[in-house]
Amino acid sequence: MANIGDNIPQAFPSRQNGVLRGVKVAILVVGSVALDSVETPFGKVEDALGGSATYFGVSASSFTPVKLVAAVGTDFPAKHVDLLKKHKIDTTGLEKMEGKTFRWAGVYETNMNNRRTLSTCLNVFEKFSPKIPESYQDIPYLFLANIDPDLQYDVLDKVSRRKRPKLIALDTMNLWIDIKKESLIKVLKKADILLINESEARQFAQEHNLVKAANIILAHGPKAVVIKQGEYGALYFSKTTVFSAPAYLLESVCDPTGAGDSFAGGFFGYLAKKGKLDDKTVRQAMIYGTVMGSFCCQGFSLDKLCKISQKDIQKRYKEIKELTVF
Ligand code: AMP
């Protein structure tokens, strides 16, 4: 029985000046780049920038350079691409396809833990076949953000054909558990870490108890699972470690859309930056995930996430540390 740190220590040789075995440390992310229409008790936005890869990328870019693989339609505003570039996200792999950009619409109740999806229009993602640019080869960290698990597998397979990344993590959602569970299980078998919501963990495992659900998920192959609990924090389970991160206490939440992806960006971005998977680093990464998720909730779309500085991130990290010391 080993945790991820024990299982793949050789996957994290010592890193000097951000360079791992001569390869510049970076994360390759595949996921959705979207136009979201969202309504919360605090207001609404239409066709605002969203998508799992967008939130993940902007969040992770505070820790590690990010290279994006995704598709948008001809209607995707150029200013959104500029925003990604401003965060030093490599958009060489962002394909502009004939047709419309992926769109998602959702509405939140007064209790913003409850969200209803109003519509999901795959649009260009229906015909998307991910291409990995030559300049993205041999990237040591792969994040498969929430998207059709068949596309996640396709990228994982293409990238690993040359050389398996040092660390592979993925996120998913209830839709794919409903309609593509077998495809999701196929991706899980090849990944190191799954990030999933509490309700989705229960749905996937067909088990209400979260400890049992985590063990059922681990039996499918990943070495660790992070169960996100919204305003109640997040749990980390490996075969030997359990860690509970509280949520940052916000006085007001404007729009939680993308908080899970922003958590993933902080968590995975920090792991990539440190190049280590020991227990301490994983726990710190959980707190950086919490910090980034909390910033995301403070504005619609990426409004708040785009405005924060390293100083803001460190300040909030320290506040969470103080909140939990006893
Ligand atoms: P989160 O609130 O962390 O679950 O992430 C919400 C983001 O995921 C939104 O920006 C959506 O555009 C995106 N999203 C919603 N449904 C899907 C889907 N089926 N596939 C990919 N991305 C999605």
Side-chain angles (χ1 to χ4, degrees), residues 20 71 79 85 96 123 138 201 207 230 236 248 260 268 296 312:
L20 183 76
K79 65 176 182 191
K85 287 184 178 158
K96 195 168 211 170
N123 297 333
D138 298 336
E207 167 60 56
Y236 173 93
Y248 180 78
F268 201 68
C296 174
D312 298 325

Side-chain angles (χ1 to χ4, degrees), residues 32 34-36 49-52 55 102-104 108 115 120 122 146-148 171 173 175-176 197 228 256-262:
S32 59
L35 295 174
D36 288 347
L49 177 61
S52 57
Y55 282 107
F102 172 86
R103 275 174 173 74
W104 175 80
Y108 290 84
R115 166 169 94 186
T120 302
L122 293 178
N146 175 32
I147 200 171
D148 184 333
D171 198 343
M173 72 181 296
L175 173 70
W176 310 120
N197 284 346
K228 297 169 285 176
T257 306
D261 307 309
S262 304

Side-chain angles (χ1 to χ4, degrees), residues 13-192:
S14 66
R15 202 164 57 91
Q16 288 165 349
N17 303 327
V19 175
L20 183 76
R21 274 194 198 146
V23 178
K24 190 97 184 113
V25 172
I27 298 170
L28 191 163
V29 60
V30 60
S32 59
V33 172
L35 295 174
D36 288 347
S37 295
V38 178
E39 187 170 348
T40 82
F42 295 94
K44 61 196 260 189
V45 284
E46 253 171 63
D47 279 351
L49 177 61
S52 57
T54 313
Y55 282 107
F56 174 91
V58 170
S59 170
S61 70
S62 286
F63 303 89
T64 302
V66 174
K67 293 174 187 286
L68 176 69
V69 170
V72 291
T74 45
D75 57 351
F76 192 67
K79 65 176 182 191
H80 295 336
V81 180
D82 292 342
L83 185 143
L84 296 172
K85 287 184 178 158
K86 209 180 121 212
H87 284 83
K88 308 258 181 311
I89 296 173
D90 188 336
T91 56
T92 313
L94 180 64
E95 200 179 324
K96 195 168 211 170
M97 292 173 63
E98 216 37 66
K100 284 186 163 184
T101 301
F102 172 86
R103 275 174 173 74
W104 175 80
V107 59
Y108 290 84
E109 294 175 9
T110 312
N111 172 357
M112 283 202 266
N113 285 325
N114 298 328
R115 166 169 94 186
R116 201 155 42 89
T117 290
L118 297 176
S119 63
T120 302
C121 301
L122 293 178
N123 297 333
V124 290
F125 276 118
E126 277 183 67
K127 294 207 180 110
F128 180 49
S129 171
K131 295 173 198 71
I132 315 297
E134 189 55 35
S135 59
Y136 284 21
Q137 300 295 347
D138 298 336
I139 290 197
Y141 297 92
L142 173 63
F143 191 80
L144 307 163
N146 175 32
I147 200 171
D148 184 333
D150 288 328
L151 290 179
Q152 291 181 322
Y153 190 85
D154 188 35
V155 170
L156 192 159
D157 187 50
K158 281 177 180 154
V159 168
S160 303
R161 246 176 246 162
R162 236 160 100 146
K163 190 172 173 191
R164 187 195 189 273
K166 308 287 176 197
L167 189 68
I168 303 174
L170 76 141
D171 198 343
T172 192
M173 72 181 296
N174 55 348
L175 173 70
W176 310 120
I177 302 170
D178 280 338
I179 64 172
K180 289 209 173 180
K181 190 166 174 185
E182 285 313 310
S183 302
L184 183 57
I185 288 174
K186 205 170 139 196
V187 185
L188 263 189
K189 272 198 174 64
K190 303 230 166 191
D192 300 306

Side-chain angles (χ1 to χ4, degrees), residues 185 188-192 216-224 239:
I185 288 174
L188 263 189
K189 272 198 174 64
K190 303 230 166 191
D192 300 306
I216 291 169
I217 292 168
L218 292 177
H220 281 283
K223 295 169 193 79
K239 289 202 173 112

